[in-house]
Amino acid sequence: MALVLAATARPDVAEAAPPDPGGSAVVQNPSIEPVADPVVIDFSSDARPEHRPRIDRDRPAAIRFSDLDAHQRDVEPSEPVPHAPWASRLPEGLAQVGGMVVPEAMLDGATMVPDAATALTQGTDPQAGGPDLNEICAFPDEVPPGIYDYDHRPGGETPRFHTVYLNFLGGVLNTGAENSAENLSNIAISGHMFPVYAGGEERAIAAAQAVAADFEDWAVRVVYLERPPKVLPYTMVMVGGHYSDTTAGPSGGVAPLDCEDFGQRNVCYAFQNNSPATTQANVISQEIGHTLGLGHTTASDSVMAFGYDNTQPGDLGFHDGCVDTIQVQGQSAACVGVNKCHCGVGDQQDDKATLFATFAPAGVDVVEPTIAIVQPPDGAMYEEGETVRIEFEPWDDVGGYGWKLLVENGAGEVLVDQVDYDRAMIFDLTGLPPDVYTITAYIQDHADHIVTASVTITVGSSEALDDSGGSDDAGSGSGGGTQGEDSGSSGDTSASAGQDTDLDDGCGCTTGAPPTAALALWLLGLLGMARRRR
């Protein structure tokens, strides 16, 4: 069974950039948005759909993990299923060569860099604008400009912690830039129901155990019982189905190639149901590896090996040391610059060195993140019709964390619950009617530390508030705001500071203090994740 390396891209960034002075072309990593515009949230009745207030609640799964045995079947589909022909057209800028889908420029030898526009202006100094390559690379002089620049915005720092969610429950996905929290994937068939895993609960658990063991050297936790909250960046693996449930061609699995895991929210696929659990784990770990920046290699002991089948491999792991990468039709489609960093040449890859350059070693994260509201100040007053600009300042000692904005009105109703997916850190609220509002910044890391900060603002004069029936007695002061009440429409509690809340699919909040023992952390790896309760 051949395995597939697939790279997804947004059409607007997939074209190759002009050659740099050294003569090598580059292509921008499709998983990075170098400059994010402020997030616009418009409360007016004629707001554009993308600007309307969002209540970003996780949708409950149609089935539970414990129901998998009811969906078990013994026959693997051998032909494309009729409702989802695999020949669906790939997004513009992608090309499939055999079993490989990559940005077209990479087939011509282009090197993937974080931002092609800036990489060409960095000159020939491999350390220009980036970290100290002598601390990362065995061969720093071989690294081309733009490689290992990382993403210097909050949340993208290295080393990072990370979470991988094995989705055995299926679900409806849509075509779009990679976003695991929103079921968006560049090779999804929009509106198509990806099937429930058909191998049963026991085999799913065995495969999940083996995948967790593959990542035990790094601070990458593997969960499967419960989906992570949207605020947390995570990789999602759709396990089950058939290649015809995507726009990929024949394959045992498919994934976006994301050098240095810039996206952090990728979706990949392992079309596995009834093969041995160890084989399923090998396929799943390989697809995760692609999303973290690894290509195929010739190492027979590595999950990144190309072309192993159901009968041969046994339980594989990641290879330690440089081995040749696999090329398709003479063209490399790996992270060439990253490989030069660790191996000196672009057509060799060191699995473990690549992962250790991005992810922290396995261990416990004991440091809570912090988040501050830079503006507006607490107690700020705004005229009706005035734009309210909100700026966050998030921080943690390791990368990988996420944050969101919560807005409540004077009655304690949650009007906005929106993740900052692009890490813009700036929100513009327009069209707010006269009222008193509580603005809350919410941050979470992969150890499930949750911290919030809140301020209260007033829109409109006190006379206008009296005339409109709005609240004019909301408290102010550090962490102040309206005392929250349960919203009758959504059942969600308010995010007022100093109160435990039931936000983001049951995760408890604290304000500047560590969660108590009663707020259980998700169980790592094999135990899945336990839901936080008030």
Side-chain angles (χ1 to χ4, degrees):
M1 175 183 62
L3 300 183
V4 178
L5 167 64
T8 61
R10 294 193 311 273
D12 58 329
V13 297
E15 297 84 3
D20 68 12
S24 60
V26 296
V27 59
Q28 181 168 308
N29 189 328
S31 294
I32 185 172
E33 183 71 49
V35 179
D37 295 327
V39 179
V40 177
I41 302 173
D42 189 349
F43 290 82
S44 61
S45 59
D46 59 347
R48 292 160 53 184
E50 65 270 25
H51 292 164
R52 290 173 183 158
R54 297 179 62 179
I55 304 295
D56 254 341
R57 303 297 180 195
D58 289 311
R59 296 176 295 274
I63 69 168
R64 297 171 298 177
F65 186 86
S66 59
D67 297 330
L68 284 181
D69 285 347
H71 296 264
Q72 190 168 358
R73 65 176 186 269
D74 297 328
V75 179
E76 291 277 7
S78 58
E79 297 295 333
V81 291
H83 63 276
W86 70 266
S88 301
R89 182 172 297 178
L90 292 167
E92 182 182 354
L94 297 180
Q96 184 159 354
V97 180
M100 182 180 295
V101 179
V102 296
E104 290 177 342
M106 291 189 70
L107 297 181
D108 296 325
T111 299
M112 184 186 292
V113 300
D115 181 2
T118 60
L120 298 178
T121 65
Q122 292 177 343
T124 58
D125 181 0
Q127 298 187 42
D132 183 0
L133 294 181
N134 290 292
E135 296 293 324
I136 302 170
C137 296
F139 303 91
D141 293 338
E142 301 296 327
V143 183
I147 301 299
Y148 274 127
D149 272 350
Y150 300 111
D151 184 349
H152 299 290
R153 294 172 299 166
E157 306 95 335
T158 56
R160 296 189 203 124
F161 279 50
H162 193 57
T163 295
V164 173
Y165 170 55
L166 307 185
N167 185 344
F168 293 96
L169 308 182
V172 176
L173 283 80
N174 289 289
T175 304
E178 298 289 310
N179 189 329
S180 54
E182 297 295 339
N183 283 8
L184 293 174
S185 165
N186 268 313
I187 54 174
I189 299 175
S190 280
H192 172 61
M193 172 63 76
F194 192 89
V196 176
Y197 174 74
E201 181 179 357
E202 182 177 353
R203 197 178 326 217
I205 292 174
Q209 289 175 337
V211 172
D214 290 340
F215 289 92
E216 64 184 2
D217 289 341
W218 300 276
V220 177
R221 64 177 178 179
V222 177
V223 300
Y224 60 91
L225 289 180
E226 186 172 333
R227 189 166 177 167
K230 289 186 176 185
V231 69
L232 194 67
Y234 64 92
T235 297
M236 180 166 69
V237 189
M238 305 300 297
V239 186
H242 185 260
Y243 67 80
S244 58
D245 290 304
T246 69
T247 58
S251 58
V254 64
L257 177 64
D258 184 4
C259 297
E260 303 164 66
D261 189 31
F262 269 88
Q264 299 188 58
R265 292 182 179 272
N266 292 298
V267 178
C268 59
Y269 304 81
F271 308 121
Q272 301 297 306
N273 290 283
N274 290 301
S275 55
T278 53
T279 300
Q280 295 194 30
N282 292 338
V283 175
I284 293 169
S285 290
Q286 179 174 113
E287 304 317 319
I288 298 168
H290 292 327
T291 71
L292 306 183
L294 297 176
H296 291 128
T297 74
T298 58
S300 60
D301 66 336
S302 175
V303 297
M304 303 312 300
F306 182 84
Y308 48 74
D309 59 33
N310 291 350
T311 61
Q312 173 265 331
D315 189 15
L316 305 177
F318 291 101
H319 186 78
D320 188 2
C322 295
V323 293
D324 291 339
T325 58
I326 295 292
Q327 296 185 354
V328 174
Q329 295 189 354
Q331 300 296 335
S332 176
C335 299
V336 174
V338 172
N339 290 344
K340 288 182 177 181
C341 172
H342 302 299
C343 298
V345 292
D347 57 3
Q348 291 190 346
Q349 177 176 289
D350 186 328
D351 297 351
K352 289 193 172 183
T354 300
L355 293 176
F356 272 120
T358 304
F359 301 102
V364 179
D365 181 5
V366 298
V367 178
E368 285 189 335
T370 65
I371 192 162
I373 299 177
V374 178
Q375 72 175 67
D378 191 53
M381 305 285 292
Y382 293 87
E383 296 294 330
E384 184 177 359
E386 186 177 357
T387 296
V388 177
R389 170 154 288 191
I390 301 168
E391 294 187 28
F392 288 172
E393 188 176 78
W395 175 89
D396 200 358
D397 66 323
V398 291
Y401 50 95
W403 59 90
K404 65 178 181 177
L405 170 70
L406 296 155
V407 178
E408 296 172 89
N409 62 14
E413 179 186 5
V414 178
L415 305 179
V416 174
D417 182 352
Q418 184 159 334
V419 178
D420 188 5
Y421 289 125
D422 293 329
R423 291 179 287 149
M425 297 175 287
I426 300 176
F427 299 81
D428 284 341
L429 309 184
T430 64
L432 278 170
D435 205 341
V436 176
Y437 297 92
T438 300
I439 308 297
T440 299
Y442 176 115
I443 189 169
Q444 182 172 347
D445 66 15
H446 292 275
D448 295 313
H449 298 128
I450 298 171
V451 176
T452 66
S454 297
V455 298
T456 300
I457 65 170
T458 301
V459 175
S461 64
S462 58
E463 292 81 3
L465 291 177
D466 290 340
D467 292 341
S468 65
S471 172
D472 62 356
D473 59 354
S476 62
S478 178
T482 306
Q483 296 299 313
E485 300 176 359
D486 288 345
S487 169
S489 59
S490 66
D492 300 313
T493 57
S494 75
S496 298
Q499 300 180 41
D500 287 341
T501 63
D502 214 7
L503 298 169
D504 214 342
D505 197 28
C507 290
C509 300
T510 64
T511 303
T516 65
L519 297 178
L521 300 181
W522 291 338
L523 300 179
L524 303 185
L526 312 181
L527 298 181
M529 296 185 295
R531 187 186 297 263
R532 289 178 181 267
R533 297 297 184 191
R534 288 185 66 174

